Amino acid sequence: MTLSDLPLHASALVESVRELHANDAIARRLQELGFVKGEDVRLVAHGPVGGEPLLVQVGFTRFALRRTEAARIEITAVAAGAGA
């Protein structure tokens, strides 16, 4: 499952960030922002037109991501009531 598939207000754990090629600047930047294995993420909101951008919380910080960027983040869903 990817972050772009996560239902609104649901929580998950980051598994990995998919690199599309060697020295992938977007993948590296996502990791620098905190999208690293084991980190808690939550889909807080999404935009009205086409559902973009996605407002995602990783740790205590919120970011707006395009769906294409969120689709690169592999996650494991957290059972309801088990997450933050």
Side-chain angles (χ1 to χ4, degrees):
M1 175 184 230
T2 66
L3 186 54
S4 62
D5 300 322
L6 192 64
L8 191 59
H9 305 298
S11 292
L13 294 175
V14 174
E15 288 298 320
S16 65
V17 175
R18 189 179 313 133
E19 293 187 20
L20 300 182
H21 50 80
N23 298 318
D24 188 337
I26 293 173
R28 184 175 57 247
R29 183 65 178 143
L30 289 169
Q31 292 167 339
E32 290 170 352
L33 291 172
F35 294 96
V36 294
K37 185 172 177 67
E39 193 65 43
D40 183 57
V41 294
R42 186 168 60 96
L43 181 57
V44 177
H46 54 75
V49 180
E52 283 197 270
L54 301 176
L55 180 59
V56 178
Q57 183 168 331
V58 58
F60 296 105
T61 307
R62 292 181 176 187
F63 298 99
L65 298 178
R66 295 180 190 98
R67 282 196 179 275
T68 57
E69 295 164 340
R72 300 172 99 188
I73 302 169
E74 299 284 338
I75 59 169
T76 301
V78 175

